[in-house]
Amino acid sequence: MKKPALTPMMQQYLQIKEEYNDCILFFRLGDFYEMFFDDAIVASQILEITLTGKDCGMEERAPMCGVPFHSAQNYIAKLIKNGKKVAICEQVEDPKEAKGIVKRDVIRVVTPGTAGVDLEITEADNNFLACIYYSDHYYAISFADVSTGEVYAAHGKYDYAENSLMDVMSTFKPSEVLLNIGGKSVFEDIVDLRKRFDFFDSVIDEEYFDYEMAVETIKGQFKGRTLDSLGITDKRHIICSLGAMLLYLSSTQKRDLSHLNDLKIYEDNSFMTIDISSRRNLEITETMREKIKRGSLLGTLDKTKTAMGARRLKSWLDRPLIDAKKIALRADAVEELVNNADTLDDLTEALKKIYDIERIISRVVYGSCNARDFLSLKQSIDKIPDIRQAIKDSKTAFLKEIYNGLDTMRDLFTLIESAIDPDAPITVKEGGIIRKGYDRELDNLRDILNNSTLYIARIEASERERTGIKNLKIKYNKVFGYYIEVSNSNKDKVPEDYIRKQTLVNGERYITKELKDLENAVLSSREKVNTLEYEDFLTVKNEILKNLDRLQKCAKLVSVADSLCSLANVAVANGYVKPVVDTGDTIDIKDGRHPIVEKGLKDCLFVPNDTYLNTSDSRFSIITGPNMAGK
């Protein structure tokens, strides 16, 4: 007996699934992403959706479940949070032009560390992918956040007694960690760290870490930059780690991640090293028990007005400076804002209207942006002159640097202002996004679409006058479209250019070239309008892509201004004073107040304490008694 054959669609599904067997495959069928076989069983349980079946040419129906494509993002997010990878398979040809089954292919693989543009991430949080390369007792680790464009790398000796790798990981808190096969000796520590931080890890093929391939990958990503200019010429482990991470991003994201265009090396001599236990007990960015922001140092200091500023301030607390000169630059800028209430108020007000430029940029790069993102970008750009105006008379170096570096980008503002309708919808292929006056051809088509009745009336009046047939009427039906109806008594007045289409008992029906042209224009104008609008939308998007560097620089400077502004507002509200930080061996604090404890007191005042330590006669203090007594 002949075995039943799989349907062509199911054959196509299984061929693609074989290539992405470690992923849940979202297979686009019409308006749904469908999942089959084991994927369907797993996904239906996680997503709590109905498991059904589909005839596939086999004796038994294939297990199947599906989600609407327009709301797929929420379902993908839930799968990612449960540690799954999702391969998104789309139709890659127009079904109208397809011969046989429509071609499909995976356009992107969403993983926990690359889902920053898909998940609703807390504005102050990054979503880092990490990649560890270990060999010969040395390690390198690279980090990338595709939702903000940040790339970092660190390296060091892997020493169990002083494990800087674990400390660096606790600083960045990645959501996904890639490891090389040779790094098996770090697995135990990774497993231990996973208990404290919620991330997913996997071993990737050693070929990803090939040195020569890594060099070429890095050069291709950081166009125009050499290994020397990136500061990694002699850092083989970083090259292997960074190259592998970029290659992994390329293979999963399947697009040009041009916003990942700068690398920062995380060096021990640049930031204070805080071990995992100290970081946890100090409650710098989250509380020890609930792991929430409120009740932490960040919760006390964060009065930022932008998402970018919130992330910047958090990074400052996660990675404290140890260079006294750099610390003084920040402190001086905060002091100037504290002492100039008008400047601080104007700057705070301007920052309120700025959206998350970094994540808008990422959506543009990923092609998941819409017209409303452009409007948010326009509004943000519109506030840059107000930020510059607020700090134009600043005296401190840091604020001057922000003022001089901020680009008002009026060209981009003007482009978006002229092109995008202020009431544009979220969808980008259904019209309504391009402003009137931007595209003449589009305006003409809209005019035809919106005024077709008026055009028909004009033609009708014109034909009555031309023929002298006073009761001539233009009508419409689904068979002939628009037509001219003439009674039998007026047939002798019909012009030669009239084309007869139907004979009736009481008269004749005709069409003309002009009427047919109008009909074609009206009937096709809706599709043409949507097509032209989408083309114009892509033109604006591509222009924004050309200006990524300018936008990223602007975003960085705005985030710095916002962080300084936040610290100044907190200082004013709580009566904080500027510390003098130097390279001496003395810590001398007068009337010191614990910012978190003080904020937690409701019915009593905090009692300030002095602290004095040095490296000779006051090297340590022993403080006893209950915590409630002020210890």
Side-chain angles (χ1 to χ4, degrees):
M1 185 176 183
K2 189 176 180 181
K3 292 179 69 176
L6 287 170
T7 62
M9 186 279 290
M10 194 54 68
Q11 290 178 27
Q12 184 187 52
Y13 169 84
L14 290 173
Q15 286 172 358
I16 297 172
K17 175 61 184 174
E18 187 176 358
E19 189 177 348
Y20 297 91
N21 56 18
D22 62 336
C23 304
I24 301 286
L25 182 61
F26 269 39
F27 192 75
R28 181 72 177 270
L29 288 175
D31 289 338
F32 281 79
Y33 286 117
E34 304 290 2
M35 290 153 276
F36 300 98
F37 301 109
D38 289 344
D39 280 3
I41 295 170
V42 172
S44 65
Q45 293 171 348
I46 295 174
L47 301 177
E48 299 176 324
I49 56 178
T50 303
L51 182 67
T52 61
K54 182 177 179 64
D55 292 327
C56 60
M58 300 170 64
E59 292 182 4
E60 295 183 2
R61 286 159 60 86
M64 181 184 87
C65 66
V67 299
F69 85 95
H70 57 79
S71 60
Q73 196 171 30
N74 295 329
Y75 294 103
I76 292 172
K78 194 168 184 179
L79 289 169
I80 294 299
K81 287 175 181 176
N82 280 272
K84 304 299 180 184
K85 297 179 182 179
V86 178
I88 302 173
C89 181
E90 293 281 5
Q91 296 175 174
V92 292
E93 71 172 336
D94 190 333
K96 297 175 184 176
E97 300 175 2
K99 294 180 180 178
I101 191 166
V102 178
K103 289 181 182 177
R104 293 178 175 86
D105 201 358
V106 170
I107 62 163
R108 184 181 169 217
V109 177
V110 187
T111 73
T114 63
V117 294
D118 304 275
L119 304 182
E120 290 296 324
I121 304 171
T122 305
E123 63 180 20
D125 288 338
N126 284 98
N127 188 55
F128 283 113
L129 167 71
C131 182
I132 298 172
Y133 175 71
Y134 171 85
S135 71
D136 302 325
H137 305 293
Y138 285 88
Y139 76 87
I141 182 167
S142 300
F143 301 92
D145 184 346
V146 296
S147 74
T148 63
E150 296 167 80
V151 185
Y152 296 88
H155 65 132
K157 188 172 183 179
Y158 190 75
D159 186 335
Y160 182 78
E162 196 172 312
N163 201 331
S164 60
L165 172 59
M166 298 300 108
D167 294 338
V168 172
M169 285 188 65
S170 69
T171 298
F172 287 89
K173 300 182 184 69
S175 56
E176 181 181 2
V177 179
L178 310 172
L179 303 103
N180 71 314
I181 296 171
K184 290 182 180 179
S185 57
V186 305
F187 285 1
E188 193 172 321
D189 285 334
I190 291 291
V191 171
D192 183 57
L193 194 66
R194 196 195 304 137
K195 295 175 184 176
R196 301 196 187 195
F197 303 105
D198 190 17
F199 65 80
F200 303 94
D201 55 88
S202 58
V203 176
I204 57 176
D205 291 340
E206 202 69 20
E207 62 185 29
Y208 274 87
F209 297 88
D210 178 77
Y211 178 79
E212 299 300 332
M213 185 186 295
V215 169
E216 293 306 311
T217 303
I218 292 168
K219 287 180 178 178
Q221 181 64 44
F222 301 100
K223 295 178 176 62
R225 303 284 298 275
T226 62
L227 297 183
D228 190 48
S229 68
L230 291 168
I232 58 174
T233 302
D234 58 345
K235 297 178 176 64
R236 184 183 183 89
H237 282 66
I238 284 184
I239 291 171
C240 292
S241 165
L242 179 60
M245 181 181 69
L246 293 174
L247 200 58
Y248 177 83
L249 284 172
S250 176
S251 64
T252 57
Q253 305 311 287
K254 298 179 180 291
R255 66 199 68 223
D256 178 18
L257 299 172
S258 52
H259 64 313
L260 304 179
N261 54 21
D262 192 24
L263 171 68
K264 295 182 178 67
I265 304 297
Y266 181 83
E267 301 278 12
D268 289 344
N269 59 1
S270 299
F271 304 99
M272 181 185 294
T273 300
I274 305 175
D275 63 74
I276 297 174
S277 296
S278 296
R279 187 177 294 278
R280 179 169 175 267
N281 285 294
L282 286 171
E283 298 186 311
I284 297 172
T285 59
E286 63 182 22
T287 57
M288 195 185 314
R289 292 182 180 177
E290 294 90 356
K291 295 187 180 299
I292 58 174
K293 174 181 166 183
R294 185 177 180 182
S296 68
L297 179 61
L298 178 63
T300 301
L301 298 181
D302 188 4
K303 303 298 177 188
T304 55
K305 304 303 176 186
T306 71
M308 300 175 294
R311 290 193 295 274
R312 177 72 56 182
L313 182 60
K314 184 172 183 286
S315 74
W316 283 0
L317 296 182
D318 270 330
R319 300 179 277 282
L321 293 172
I322 57 175
D323 185 318
K325 291 181 180 179
K326 291 181 180 179
I327 294 170
L329 283 174
R330 287 183 189 171
D332 290 346
V334 172
E335 182 183 37
E336 182 172 6
L337 292 173
V338 167
N339 293 335
N340 292 273
D342 289 344
T343 298
L344 183 57
D345 288 345
D346 291 346
L347 183 56
T348 302
E349 194 60 35
L351 288 164
K352 288 179 181 177
K353 302 290 178 65
I354 292 186
Y355 289 86
D356 196 339
I357 298 173
E358 289 177 332
R359 288 197 166 137
I360 291 174
I361 291 170
S362 295
R363 289 195 288 275
V364 172
V365 169
Y366 269 79
S368 59
C369 56
N370 57 43
R372 292 188 184 178
D373 287 322
F374 295 171
L375 293 173
S376 296
L377 187 59
K378 182 190 78 171
Q379 180 174 316
S380 302
I381 293 172
D382 195 34
K383 289 298 168 185
I384 301 302
D386 293 346
I387 294 176
R388 296 186 83 243
Q389 178 65 27
I391 59 175
K392 71 171 185 176
D393 296 322
S394 298
K395 303 295 189 293
T396 51
F398 214 178
L399 291 175
K400 281 183 178 180
E401 183 181 331
I402 295 171
Y403 175 81
N404 292 326
L406 275 175
D407 180 351
T408 57
M409 293 182 288
R410 298 313 290 179
D411 53 331
L412 278 180
F413 176 88
T414 301
L415 172 65
I416 299 171
E417 172 74 11
S418 63
I420 305 300
D421 190 292
D423 298 316
I426 293 176
T427 57
V428 297
K429 291 187 176 180
E430 295 176 15
I433 58 178
I434 301 299
R435 189 192 280 267
K436 184 179 180 181
Y438 178 75
D439 184 327
R440 183 176 296 177
E441 182 182 359
L442 178 62
D443 289 345
N444 290 337
L445 285 169
R446 281 174 172 166
D447 189 46
I448 292 170
L449 189 67
N450 296 332
N451 300 295
S452 57
T453 304
L454 180 60
Y455 282 117
I456 292 296
R458 286 177 182 171
I459 293 175
E460 188 177 76
S462 174
E463 290 303 313
R464 283 178 181 174
E465 184 177 349
R466 178 164 80 102
T467 63
I469 304 173
K470 293 183 179 180
N471 62 352
L472 178 149
K473 290 184 179 179
I474 295 179
K475 297 181 179 180
Y476 177 84
N477 66 30
K478 291 182 179 179
V479 178
F480 298 123
Y482 289 108
Y483 60 87
I484 297 171
E485 190 166 286
V486 179
S487 62
N488 286 333
S489 60
N490 290 306
K491 284 196 298 184
D492 58 327
K493 297 179 182 178
V494 171
E496 291 183 3
D497 60 339
Y498 275 33
I499 303 167
R500 189 170 62 197
K501 294 298 290 182
Q502 188 179 23
T503 300
L504 305 174
V505 174
N506 299 320
E508 303 279 354
R509 288 176 175 174
Y510 302 89
I511 62 171
T512 66
K513 184 178 183 304
E514 181 185 16
L515 197 58
K516 208 65 188 170
D517 288 345
L518 177 62
E519 178 189 316
N520 291 335
V522 170
L523 294 179
S524 65
S525 60
R526 169 53 61 195
E527 184 176 347
K528 286 183 178 178
V529 161
N530 292 348
T531 301
L532 267 181
E533 286 211 46
Y534 186 59
E535 289 174 358
D536 288 340
F537 171 81
L538 292 179
T539 298
V540 176
K541 188 192 92 167
N542 290 332
E543 195 60 35
I544 292 172
L545 279 173
K546 291 177 186 176
N547 289 276
L548 279 185
D549 289 347
R550 295 170 69 194
L551 286 164
Q552 285 180 308
K553 182 180 179 182
C554 171
K556 177 183 176 181
L557 292 172
V558 167
S559 72
V560 170
D562 194 14
S563 299
L564 295 172
C565 193
S566 175
L567 294 174
N569 277 312
V570 172
V572 170
N574 297 309
Y576 294 164
V577 297
K578 185 182 83 168
V580 176
V581 179
D582 57 31
T583 55
D585 62 358
T586 301
I587 296 175
D588 188 5
I589 301 172
K590 300 294 185 185
D591 292 335
R593 292 143 53 201
H594 193 298
I596 304 173
V597 175
E598 184 179 42
K599 274 292 178 184
L601 296 176
K602 295 188 184 330
D603 301 322
C604 56
L605 294 174
F606 184 90
V607 179
N609 297 284
D610 294 347
T611 302
Y612 183 84
L613 294 168
N614 60 31
T615 56
S616 55
D617 57 347
S618 296
R619 297 187 65 174
F620 65 90
S621 297
I622 299 176
I623 305 171
T624 60
N627 288 337
M628 61 177 290
K631 184 178 70 174

